[in-house]
Amino acid sequence: MSVDSARRMVASKESKLAELQKKLAAKQGKLAETQKKANDAREAANKTRIEATRRSKLRTYESASKDIASISKDIAQLHKQIVGAEKDLQRAKASLAREEKSFSDKQQREAQRESREMNQRLSSMSGTLYEHENRIDALECESTAVTVLYLGVSPEDAVRLRTDEEARDIREAIRLSDNPDSIAFEDRWATRQNDLLQALNEVNPEIVHFSGHGAEDGSLAIEDSAGKTLLVSKDVMAAVIEAAAERVRLVVFNACFSDEQADKILEHVDAVIGMSDSISDEAALAFARQLYSSIGFGLSLAQAFKQARAAIALVSLDEIDTPQLRVRPNLTAEEIVFVS
């Protein structure tokens, strides 16, 4: 399936869901109207002293009661269809994210191939030591790209988050920066308990970015085997980071109340970014997009964090102080530079 086909599929699923929700709203309005009709008829029957009128109102009440039962059945069916449509939409979005990643990877491979071919042509034109040294330097820079591990989590029983959009925005921000080849972006979705160490071992990242829900006690929400919410305490998350912190320098928790995690994690890495309160989707997206854009332009972590907070101010000024940056003792955020 192509990216365009996947996007059309998402649009189709969204349209179907919207239509079902529209039908549900209409049925609920009809139900309220019919219930009122039944109530009015019953009340009129109880009040009248005219037998013929009472019988007529009772017939109206009985008819309305049958209609209420029928409409209620239709509403239950629509609820079931909406649940199915929401699942179909989520699967379509996941498929779109895979296709976009595949397309992005293909473009990157093509760009790397063209770069190699260009280097080969230059090498054949000139065999000077200077050109060889430049090519070696370029290959060394390519091999030391900073790796970002993105963990996107949005359990089925929680409010849906725009983690797919956030990952897409981060990837695009990196691509448009001065040093797109210096940052490797790896994403993992629907993260479960057993996936954490597996993903860290596979990717071996310098930056770990968690995007999802957070609880007021600092716990982070991942998924259980059924896709439902499973809370992971800050002590458990600290133990996971410690076990895989050989290269991890920065941990970003783009989740509500995640600043509670910072102190524990900071024992094992250079810096931690967390959220001191709840944060809206718009603010979280703006923050993440600008943070990695600034890192890609070679700015220090201090500058990147300031610019990311400024990006929040452009969409939601009240949330500018929600992100919090903490750096381990004897180190400053100005000293931390991921891309030079």
Side-chain angles (χ1 to χ4, degrees), residues 271-322:
V272 179
I273 294 175
M275 303 299 160
S276 62
D277 203 341
S278 60
I279 185 168
S280 65
D281 266 355
E282 291 76 13
L285 287 170
F287 179 84
R289 180 169 53 242
Q290 187 58 51
L291 179 70
Y292 292 98
S293 173
S294 300
I295 288 174
F297 276 100
L299 302 184
S300 69
L301 180 58
Q303 292 173 297
F305 182 73
K306 287 179 182 178
Q307 291 192 0
R309 290 176 76 248
I312 288 182
L314 294 173
V315 297
S316 179
L317 181 59
D318 291 341
E319 297 180 85
I320 188 173
D321 292 324
T322 300

Side-chain angles (χ1 to χ4, degrees), residues 214-220 232-234 256-261:
E216 292 188 6
D217 65 353
S219 300
L220 296 175
V232 176
S233 71
K234 52 189 175 185
C256 299
F257 308 106
S258 54
D259 188 45
E260 292 286 333
Q261 297 275 354

